[in-house]
């Protein structure tokens, strides 16, 4: 079952916040992901976990390509297979 934009963005916020050591309320959807100061290995690990959550293969560089949580979530929501 495809995930909604909200489900995807909430999952990403929770995981980025956990790894960045910040409160989820500090992870605005339109913030450039590089501002969370996560290294590439952590972002690749988050991407792998996200793939499992949504049941879809993603580019390991999706966060760099999309730049924000909102853009990443929107792309995933629009490109999931039904």
């Amino acid at each position: 079952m495809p995930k909604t934009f909200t489900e995807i963005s909430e999952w990403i916020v929770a995981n980025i916040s956990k790894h960045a050591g910040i409160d989820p309320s500090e992870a605005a959807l339109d913030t450039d992901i590089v501002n969370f100061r996560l290294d590439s290995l952590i972002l690749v690990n988050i991407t792998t976990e996200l793939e499992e959550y949504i049941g879809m293969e993603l580019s390991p560089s999706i966060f760099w390509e999309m730049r924000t949580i909102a853009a990443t979530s929107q792309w995933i929501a629009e490109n999931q297979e039904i």
Side-chain angles (χ1 to χ4, degrees):
M1 177 109 182
K3 306 284 188 212
T4 66
F5 171 86
T6 301
E7 290 171 322
I8 297 164
S9 62
E10 286 176 354
W11 188 97
I12 294 172
V13 164
N15 282 275
I16 284 180
S17 299
K18 177 179 72 175
H19 289 285
I22 61 172
D23 189 271
S25 66
E26 297 177 51
L29 297 184
D30 60 348
T31 300
D32 195 317
I33 289 174
V34 298
N35 292 338
F36 297 117
R37 300 182 186 266
L38 299 172
D39 67 36
S40 58
L41 181 59
I42 290 173
L43 285 174
V44 169
N45 287 340
I46 292 171
T47 302
T48 301
E49 293 169 6
L50 179 57
E51 288 178 329
E52 292 173 20
Y53 174 68
I54 61 172
M56 173 182 170
E57 188 173 330
L58 300 170
S59 166
S61 61
I62 190 166
F63 289 114
W64 291 278
E65 294 167 11
M66 298 291 120
R67 314 250 346 138
T68 67
I69 295 169
T72 304
S73 300
Q74 188 65 42
W75 187 90
I76 293 168
E78 291 175 355
N79 288 283
Q80 294 177 88
E81 302 222 354
I82 299 175

